[in-house]
Structure formats: structure tokens, C-alpha cells
Amino acid sequence: MSEEVGDDDSQAPLDEGCLPLPLEFEALYLLDQEAFHDLALSVLGTNEAAERAVHRGFLEILNIWDKLKAESEDLQQEIWAIMRRTVISEELLSLREQMAALDSGSGLYEALGNLPPRQFDVMVLRYIGGHSTKRIGWYMGVTASTVDYHCRQARQRLAPKYYRILQDTQEGTS
């Protein structure tokens, strides 16, 4: 069927209003969607969160598709980096909710919120999420030494009292 009846009994082609996806993007989706979903599911733990993250990742990729194709030396690596960032951001959204509950008037949440983005990500993934340096590096697309650097910088910015609270939080989740 190529036509759809509207509310006012008028008929319009079904594909009207739908933007065609680039054929190469559709192929990417078909080839990599399952692997992206597996990654997201292993990090996020629920199918709903994984589907949401993968959908957001593909939308981000589609928004810059032409630029990626034209400028990327390794298209697949760039696409995986986008998907990893999207999955991490989904996890961080979940962890932010947990952090608000942990704060209990200590000021930790506010202090973490004032950190630069990479320092914030590293501290939350390490101390709230309980992830290893190696795993955080893989998520963020940086080396383990860069993760350690961001963690050191964040500890220097946080008052010692806030850092102790983070350590206690990590010990409680281990």
C-alpha cells in the first residue's frame, strides 16, 4: 500500500514526510546495531537504557554523516567513539540521579558538578560507578594514564573532605 488515509479522509503517500536515509548509513545500522546494543547493554544493564543510548548514538551519527564520511580517516573508529560517548553519557545521567540521593547535604554533588567535564566523568565513573581505570579509559577513548591524570586534577580541586566521601562511597559499592 502506498497511500495512507488522513483524519480528513485525504490520501497521502506513506513516504511523504519521511527523509530517506543514506544507503551507506542504513548498511552501517544493519551491520553494527547489534554490536552497539551489546556494548550499551553491558554498560547500562537494562535493555531500555541500551536501546535509548543506541538510538541517540545513531541520531548523532546521522546528523554528522556527510562530515564523517568526508573527513574521517577511520570511519568505523569515529563511529565507535561516538557510540561509546553516547553510552557513557547515558550512564552518567543515571549516575547523576544516584549522586543526588547520596549527597545528603554534604555538598559533594555540588563540588563534583563544578569540576571540568572530563574530571567529572572520571570521578563519577571511578567512585560512583566503580569502574577500573582501564575500563574508564576505554569508554572515554583515552589512555589509563590520562584517566589517572584527570583523577589527580579532580582530587586537587575537591576539598579533602569531599574526596573522603567519594572513597567511602566507592567502598560501600564494592
Side-chain angles (χ1 to χ4, degrees), residues 33-100:
Q33 186 277 335
E34 187 175 344
F36 291 159
H37 186 270
D38 290 345
L39 166 72
L41 186 59
S42 71
V43 171
L44 301 171
T46 68
N47 198 44
E48 181 182 327
E51 287 179 8
R52 190 172 47 246
V54 170
H55 180 75
R56 283 182 43 224
F58 273 116
L59 287 176
E60 185 175 334
I61 293 165
L62 180 59
N63 284 334
I64 60 171
W65 181 248
D66 292 332
K67 181 180 178 184
L68 280 171
K69 282 185 8 183
E71 297 177 6
S72 294
E73 291 180 23
D74 188 341
L75 182 62
Q76 194 66 21
Q77 182 179 6
E78 291 284 333
I79 289 168
W80 272 97
I82 291 169
M83 195 57 69
R84 272 197 312 268
R85 283 192 306 268
T86 305
V87 169
I88 293 165
S89 73
E90 191 72 31
E91 181 178 31
L92 288 173
L93 290 173
S94 167
L95 292 174
R96 280 182 190 267
E97 293 170 9
Q98 292 176 28
M99 285 173 49

Side-chain angles (χ1 to χ4, degrees), residues 1-173:
M1 178 181 243
S2 64
E3 294 186 357
E4 179 178 81
V5 177
D7 290 338
D8 60 356
D9 291 329
S10 63
Q11 293 187 347
L14 281 178
D15 62 352
E16 185 177 294
C18 295
L19 298 176
L21 295 174
L23 186 58
E24 294 157 313
F25 179 82
E26 288 186 42
L28 167 78
Y29 178 85
L30 292 172
L31 289 172
D32 290 345
Q33 186 277 335
E34 187 175 344
F36 291 159
H37 186 270
D38 290 345
L39 166 72
L41 186 59
S42 71
V43 171
L44 301 171
T46 68
N47 198 44
E48 181 182 327
E51 287 179 8
R52 190 172 47 246
V54 170
H55 180 75
R56 283 182 43 224
F58 273 116
L59 287 176
E60 185 175 334
I61 293 165
L62 180 59
N63 284 334
I64 60 171
W65 181 248
D66 292 332
K67 181 180 178 184
L68 280 171
K69 282 185 8 183
E71 297 177 6
S72 294
E73 291 180 23
D74 188 341
L75 182 62
Q76 194 66 21
Q77 182 179 6
E78 291 284 333
I79 289 168
W80 272 97
I82 291 169
M83 195 57 69
R84 272 197 312 268
R85 283 192 306 268
T86 305
V87 169
I88 293 165
S89 73
E90 191 72 31
E91 181 178 31
L92 288 173
L93 290 173
S94 167
L95 292 174
R96 280 182 190 267
E97 293 170 9
Q98 292 176 28
M99 285 173 49
L102 293 172
D103 199 4
S104 67
S106 67
L108 173 62
Y109 182 70
E110 183 179 351
L112 283 170
N114 290 328
L115 291 173
R118 285 201 168 202
Q119 291 176 18
F120 173 83
D121 293 352
V122 166
M123 296 301 279
V124 169
L125 289 169
R126 178 174 282 173
Y127 293 102
I128 309 296
H131 298 294
S132 70
T133 299
K134 182 178 179 182
R135 189 167 187 182
I136 295 168
W138 182 81
Y139 285 158
M140 295 178 67
V142 299
T143 65
S145 62
T146 301
V147 170
D148 289 339
Y149 171 77
H150 288 306
C151 192
R152 279 191 309 276
Q153 294 297 311
R155 283 195 306 253
Q156 289 174 356
R157 286 178 181 260
L158 293 173
K161 120 180 168 181
Y162 296 131
Y163 181 63
R164 280 194 296 280
I165 294 169
L166 278 173
Q167 287 179 314
D168 292 344
T169 301
Q170 185 182 30
E171 290 169 6
T173 60

